[in-house]
Amino acid sequence: MKKEKNKNQSFMDGFLGNFTMTRRSFMKKATAATGTAVALGGLKPSLRALAASGEVAAGEMGEWIASTCQGCTSWCSKQIYVVDGRAIKVRGNPNSKVNVGEGCPRSHLGLQQVYDPDRIKTPMKRTNPKKGRNEDPRFVPISWDEALNTIADKIMELRKNDETHKYMLMRGRYSYMRDVLYDRMTKIIGSPNNISHSAICAEAEKFGPYYTEGLWDYRQYDVANSRYVLIWGADPLAANRQVSYYSSVWGDTIGRATVAVVEPRLSATAAKADEWMPIKPGHDGAVAAAIAHVILTEGLWYRDFVGDFIDGQNRFVVGQEVNEEDFEEKYTHGLVKWWNIELKDKTVEWAAERSGLPAEQIQRVAVEYAKAAPHCISWVGGGPVMQVRGGYASMICHALNGLTGGVDNVGGTQKANKEYTGKFPKPDDWLDDIAKKGKKHGKIDHRGRLEFPALNNGKSGGGVVTNNAADGILNEDPNEIKVAIGYMNNFTFSCGQPERWERALAKIPFLVHITTNASEFSWFSDILLPDAHHMFEKWGYVKSHGNGYRHVTLMQPVVKPVWDYKIDETEIPWMIAEKLAERGFSNLLDHFKSYKDPETGKEPTNEKEFALYALKYVTQNLWDPAHYKGGDKFNGWEEFLKVGVWNSDPYPFRKRWGNMGTKTKMFEFYSETLKEALEKHAEKHNTTVDNVLEVCEYQARGELAFVPHYEEPLTAGDEKEYPFVFVDHKSRLNREGRTPNCTWYYEFKDVDPGDEIWDDVAKINPLDAEKLGIKTGDAIKLTSGTGSLTCTAKLWEGVRPGTVAKCYGQGHWAYGSIAAKEFGKVPRGGSNNDLIPAVYDRLSGSTVRHAGVRVKIEKA
């Protein structure tokens, strides 16, 4: 490791190019420019952030201060041990009823992130006007004043020319302060183009629950009371929501319940399961259909929720249609239609042929799962749904919760508990005619067009199509983008087929990136603004749910500032607003001044007051006794800040039975809700539902479109040329792709089953490897029709033959001196997204990550 670090002396050497300065001299100058007295040379020993033991040094006294980890979407409430303004260690906040004082490795990695010497320390500007992967940006340090003046001038130029719709905001990891920058600022400037990262995350997971029970959200799972947990392509012990909580109770769960995992690789959760079902990627819907078929033919559905035949005689017989009038439903809608349209012929033998799983295993799992009803879970993760036809896989896998009565029930699946945070003031009163006109333009990601329904919450164009924004920028469709700001995002690394984003960002005349580290996205930027680290340096809050509760957990600055960063969602928008006001456009600043301190009624006068007042404003219902609505009760802001988290009332089981968010108010096996949404989208484009589905590459036609059903996976690449299906998965050490500049990420990489420390491996089944003449340790090249990567071969029986599995996270060619072998030039390992084409589940808008591409494997 030392040898590599010497070879790559400094990421800044490559990043600054002709700005000839060593890393140490640069940091001294940057530190001096910001008035910070801490020198780099003594930083690590004095902070003890990376001490091997993690213990506080003898004689030092500190305090535990509440904050939040956003290393994944678990959003766990945390406490940071702070000594003399320096973060020493992290633990779970015992006041949270969601993560119950527990944590996972991601929160500890935050210590290396916040004190990463490769962080951006002061604003910087590009001096090379040319943009491209092979163009050194030649960044130089500038003042905040110069950076903000430049940004304000560019925005004012758009307003002067009636081109505010050519402004764009790209959002990555956010807190719920997001609407300040993402929504209010974008609207008041006058643009429709606020583009979130949501569709590259797991948006298709929400499709199934919405079009069966009216819930466009992630679920929580009552594993403490479940008797059977059937997991589809999720890994709750490593990379799903509420990792901390599930990891802490999983020992009890597997002692009480049967756990079955449907996944082509042996995940951390599959390794501790009773049944591992190594499915052919993309065929989950076939297995779910067969399980539903077994439940119905063997009379195992949960009658207290679903209902029964009027005469009590089971008429669900293989291959035979059923008269709808013979069945009386209770809290569901369209069960018999579902059987007649989709399920009557879907036997376990049929599913086995498609999925590659033994028919007897599918039969066994179906019967045991159903016999555990209603205390059973069908847990839908990204695996079956983040594929080209994943929306329907999401529906059919989730529909099993309806058959067994597990939905909204003890030991089953639940929605998020009610919480009472407020909203920021609406922007309407601050929209002038320029802004109103600009907002009417089409969005750059093409949501709502015929080929991109993106049916979030039943609305055509209600969702985002994140990855397609690159094509919109490249093709200037519906218009060119002239000014853009991105924050805590890295679409040039995190999106499929990222070279499109490289070309798209190079095309934008003026691009600003708010980030902690100089990433691949930063490489194409004109201005870099140093961002606060969410867990240690930011005012904000997030909401999460699990364990039958919802919590609202605070972020607050807990460490002494080391560098000259600002908070992305509050401080920076305020400072931009001040500069715009100086230029005669005060609407944004006037809007922000309406976020008054609830305790004093005082308007904010600077960015730091604004960040704090905005947080107090939007959370007032939680901490102000006069506004109390439920859950934990506090005596005021200071008590809430000290505790760090508000907890909801316990989950009210079965309150939604008969009052679902669907069109019929029932759990819909025949989705009237989806039918209405598709018909409205078709009508909008003067066409038919069948044509919408054809254009969007689904197989369903007619009534099949409105029921949960199996669709064959549409995988890019000819099987003869590219014989292996690529399986992407996530690490329990990934802080959303931001940890590869931390040494601990590599030192502990073998916590991910099949992976190796200080290496980036592709897991190949030994049967396949033998045919290829490949051995563990060989350098290999994976190639798809889209791109290629190089990494190391690892022979491993934990991956299904015919597939190759690789963990997402490595392959950065920027981000820092550890993440890249040579900053700006040579990546460490390979990026999975270089293999994955830009294709979509168009009904949800989701970017494809699973079962999306075939590859070939060669020795490098």
Side-chain angles (χ1 to χ4, degrees):
M1 180 52 216
K2 287 183 179 178
K3 189 173 183 181
E4 286 210 50
K5 287 182 74 174
N6 290 335
K7 177 182 177 182
N8 182 22
Q9 180 182 2
S10 166
F11 91 99
M12 286 295 180
D13 292 346
F15 195 59
L16 294 176
N18 292 342
F19 186 67
T20 54
M21 208 182 265
T22 67
R23 172 173 164 182
R24 185 174 296 274
S25 63
F26 170 80
M27 294 183 67
K28 284 181 178 179
K29 289 177 184 286
T31 299
T34 62
T36 304
V38 180
L40 174 65
L43 184 64
K44 192 186 295 185
S46 65
L47 294 179
R48 296 181 174 84
L50 311 184
S53 67
E55 296 299 320
V56 181
E60 289 191 352
M61 296 296 292
E63 61 176 331
W64 289 101
I65 304 176
S67 193
T68 300
C69 176
Q70 284 192 282
C72 70
T73 47
S74 294
W75 291 347
C76 295
S77 189
K78 294 293 178 182
Q79 291 179 333
I80 316 297
Y81 194 77
V82 180
V83 178
D84 191 24
R86 296 168 173 83
I88 302 299
K89 54 183 179 178
V90 182
R91 70 181 182 190
N93 188 339
N95 298 306
S96 169
K97 294 180 181 178
V98 173
N99 61 287
V100 291
E102 300 295 340
C104 82
R106 293 178 179 85
S107 60
H108 303 290
L109 282 159
L111 290 168
Q112 285 201 328
Q113 286 184 317
V114 71
Y115 295 121
D116 182 354
D118 288 347
R119 280 183 66 177
I120 298 172
K121 301 162 187 68
T122 190
M124 304 178 80
K125 72 175 180 181
R126 184 185 203 93
T127 61
N128 181 3
K130 295 180 180 180
K131 293 184 179 182
R133 175 78 173 262
N134 298 316
E135 292 289 342
D136 188 334
R138 299 204 294 269
F139 280 98
V140 297
I142 57 173
S143 67
W144 274 100
D145 200 50
E146 180 181 349
L148 296 165
N149 279 329
T150 306
I151 295 167
D153 286 342
K154 296 294 183 180
I155 293 172
M156 292 302 294
E157 186 177 338
L158 293 181
R159 290 186 55 79
K160 178 183 177 182
N161 296 327
D162 251 1
E163 293 182 321
T164 57
H165 57 288
K166 297 180 180 180
Y167 168 81
M168 179 181 184
L169 189 285
M170 289 170 273
R171 184 187 82 193
R173 174 50 52 226
Y174 60 89
S175 78
Y176 281 91
M177 307 300 288
R178 62 192 180 187
D179 284 347
V180 175
L181 174 61
Y182 176 73
D183 182 85
R184 304 309 195 262
M185 179 170 149
T186 307
K187 287 178 178 176
I188 291 172
I189 288 172
S191 175
N193 287 314
N194 47 353
I195 305 297
S196 80
H197 79 292
S198 300
I200 64 172
C201 183
E203 204 70 353
E205 283 186 34
K206 304 172 185 176
F207 188 88
Y210 184 79
Y211 289 107
T212 52
E213 58 171 296
L215 175 63
W216 192 278
D217 199 358
Y218 301 113
R219 284 74 59 212
Q220 56 179 321
Y221 302 95
D222 186 17
V223 298
N225 295 298
S226 187
R227 296 296 180 266
Y228 202 107
V229 184
L230 174 58
I231 301 175
W232 305 88
D235 193 1
L237 300 186
N240 203 251
R241 285 154 187 82
Q242 273 317 313
V243 172
S244 299
Y245 168 68
Y246 293 125
S247 296
S248 71
V249 300
W250 208 254
D252 292 335
T253 299
I254 60 178
R256 180 189 309 107
T258 299
V259 177
V261 176
V262 186
E263 175 81 58
R265 68 176 183 96
L266 189 68
S267 64
T269 307
K272 297 182 179 296
D274 299 278
E275 299 263 9
W276 175 38
M277 305 174 75
I279 193 170
K280 288 181 181 178
H283 293 277
D284 306 69
V287 177
I291 290 174
H293 178 96
V294 170
I295 291 172
L296 293 176
T297 55
E298 301 206 7
L300 296 174
W301 67 89
Y302 189 63
R303 286 162 174 78
D304 287 351
F305 181 72
V306 179
D308 201 358
F309 287 98
I310 294 173
D311 62 4
Q313 180 181 346
N314 187 5
R315 288 176 168 78
F316 292 124
V317 178
V318 178
Q320 295 184 17
E321 291 195 358
V322 173
N323 188 338
E324 292 180 41
E325 296 179 358
D326 291 340
F327 197 96
E328 185 175 1
E329 293 184 80
K330 286 190 174 182
Y331 300 107
T332 64
H333 172 78
L335 175 66
V336 174
K337 280 187 178 180
W338 186 28
W339 167 265
N340 290 339
I341 294 168
E342 167 68 3
L343 297 179
K344 67 180 186 298
D345 301 313
K346 299 301 189 292
T347 64
V348 293
E349 291 78 17
W350 169 88
E353 184 179 342
R354 285 152 182 80
S355 67
L357 298 175
E360 55 270 21
Q361 185 181 37
I362 300 172
Q363 176 78 20
R364 179 176 63 250
V365 168
V367 170
E368 292 181 2
Y369 166 73
K371 284 184 175 180
H375 310 302
C376 55
I377 295 168
S378 181
W379 187 323
V380 185
V385 305
M386 297 297 282
Q387 56 170 304
V388 173
R389 295 163 176 160
Y392 285 114
S394 181
M395 283 184 74
I396 197 165
C397 292
H398 184 73
L400 298 179
N401 292 302
L403 275 185
T404 57
V407 62
D408 210 49
N409 207 348
V410 176
T413 69
Q414 297 87 41
K415 65 176 290 185
N417 304 54
K418 190 172 183 179
E419 54 85 21
Y420 305 101
T421 53
K423 295 183 181 298
F424 295 115
K426 292 183 178 180
D428 304 46
D429 292 342
W430 290 271
L431 299 179
D432 61 11
D433 290 340
I434 294 174
K436 290 175 182 177
K437 180 180 177 182
K439 281 177 71 272
K440 292 180 180 179
H441 286 260
K443 285 185 176 280
I444 199 71
D445 64 340
H446 302 167
R447 70 185 76 175
R449 294 189 181 184
L450 173 62
E451 68 275 18
F452 282 113
L455 298 175
N456 184 325
N457 281 310
K459 180 183 176 183
S460 172
V464 63
V465 193
T466 310
N467 202 14
N468 197 58
D471 294 307
I473 296 168
L474 285 168
N475 298 323
E476 299 185 6
D477 180 13
N479 50 256
E480 64 181 321
I481 296 296
K482 287 187 172 182
V483 177
I485 297 176
Y487 83 95
M488 287 309 288
N489 67 321
N490 190 12
F491 295 160
T492 37
F493 181 81
S494 58
C495 286
Q497 206 169 339
E499 59 84 21
R500 297 159 40 261
W501 277 100
E502 294 178 14
R503 291 185 287 116
L505 296 185
K507 188 180 177 70
I508 298 174
F510 184 72
L511 178 63
V512 179
H513 198 204
I514 307 169
T515 182
T516 56
N517 287 58
S519 69
E520 288 80 2
F521 190 101
S522 306
W523 192 261
F524 299 90
S525 300
D526 297 275
I527 296 282
L528 299 184
L529 299 180
D531 199 1
H533 191 285
H534 67 269
M535 190 160 60
F536 305 95
E537 301 166 340
K538 177 176 180 173
W539 287 113
Y541 79 99
V542 292
K543 301 175 281 190
S544 186
H545 50 272
N547 191 33
Y549 290 91
R550 193 173 202 180
H551 72 198
V552 175
T553 173
L554 292 176
M555 288 165 267
Q556 60 177 311
V558 301
V559 299
K560 290 179 181 177
V562 179
W563 297 300
D564 193 15
Y565 48 76
K566 301 291 182 183
I567 300 174
D568 44 26
E569 293 171 323
T570 50
E571 291 183 343
I572 292 174
W574 173 277
M575 295 167 75
I576 292 173
E578 286 183 319
K579 294 297 184 182
L580 292 174
E582 290 174 5
R583 288 154 174 77
F585 179 62
S586 64
N587 298 40
L588 186 59
L589 185 61
D590 291 341
H591 170 74
F592 288 160
K593 286 182 178 180
S594 69
Y595 298 30
K596 297 178 181 179
D597 184 345
E599 290 185 298
T600 66
K602 180 183 175 184
E603 288 184 354
T605 60
N606 57 55
E607 74 274 12
K608 293 190 180 302
E609 287 183 351
F610 177 64
L612 178 58
Y613 294 177
L615 176 59
K616 293 172 70 175
Y617 180 97
V618 79
T619 60
Q620 184 179 7
N621 291 339
L622 307 184
W623 56 263
D624 186 342
H627 288 247
Y628 179 74
K629 298 179 183 296
D632 290 350
K633 191 170 185 178
F634 298 99
N635 293 320
W637 168 254
E638 290 301 325
E639 184 183 6
F640 181 37
L641 184 62
K642 183 175 182 180
V643 173
V645 61
W646 170 91
N647 299 286
S648 71
D649 294 317
Y651 192 82
F653 293 106
R654 294 181 293 278
K655 287 290 183 70
R656 297 176 60 242
W657 285 19
N659 192 31
M660 299 283 181
T662 59
K663 186 176 180 181
T664 63
K665 302 298 182 183
M666 303 296 178
F667 190 98
E668 294 184 346
F669 296 121
Y670 180 92
S671 183
E672 303 286 356
T673 308
L674 178 57
K675 183 177 183 179
E676 181 179 65
L678 282 171
E679 287 178 346
K680 284 184 176 179
H681 182 74
E683 183 180 354
K684 174 182 173 181
H685 295 286
N686 195 30
T687 188
T688 64
V689 170
D690 279 357
N691 186 52
V692 169
L693 294 169
E694 181 180 0
V695 169
C696 295
E697 301 187 284
Y698 297 93
Q699 294 176 309
R701 301 290 184 271
E703 291 283 87
L704 185 60
F706 312 130
V707 299
H709 66 272
Y710 164 69
E711 298 232 351
E712 297 173 3
L714 185 61
T715 306
D718 179 73
E719 187 172 358
K720 290 183 179 180
E721 184 176 0
Y722 303 105
F724 298 94
V725 177
F726 183 70
V727 176
D728 169 273
H729 66 94
K730 303 299 181 279
S731 169
R732 68 197 330 174
L733 301 177
N734 273 359
R735 291 178 61 88
E736 300 186 319
R738 299 186 180 94
T739 32
N741 207 49
C742 302
T743 56
W744 291 344
Y745 177 82
Y746 302 95
E747 290 171 7
F748 298 102
K749 194 65 179 67
D750 56 356
V751 300
D752 295 315
D755 279 7
E756 299 288 338
I757 64 170
W758 285 104
D759 207 345
D760 191 21
V761 302
K763 279 86 69 177
I764 308 169
N765 190 281
L767 297 176
D768 293 326
E770 184 178 7
K771 297 174 185 176
L772 297 170
I774 290 174
K775 299 178 180 178
T776 292
D778 284 349
I780 57 172
K781 182 179 181 180
L782 306 183
T783 304
S784 72
T786 301
S788 64
L789 62 82
T790 57
C791 61
T792 303
K794 170 69 179 291
L795 275 59
W796 192 50
E797 294 177 345
V799 63
R800 180 185 175 87
T803 69
V804 54
K806 185 176 174 298
C807 191
Y808 167 83
Q810 298 189 53
H812 280 284
W813 51 270
Y815 214 80
S817 56
I818 306 297
K821 284 190 174 181
E822 185 177 354
F823 188 87
K825 295 181 180 179
V826 182
R828 181 183 298 279
S831 172
N832 290 5
N833 282 323
D834 286 337
L835 301 175
I836 301 173
V839 289
Y840 308 89
D841 172 61
R842 293 169 183 263
L843 290 182
S844 67
S846 294
T847 292
V848 167
R849 291 193 276 111
H850 302 291
V853 67
R854 290 183 165 277
V855 300
K856 60 183 176 182
I857 307 172
E858 304 167 290
K859 285 187 177 181

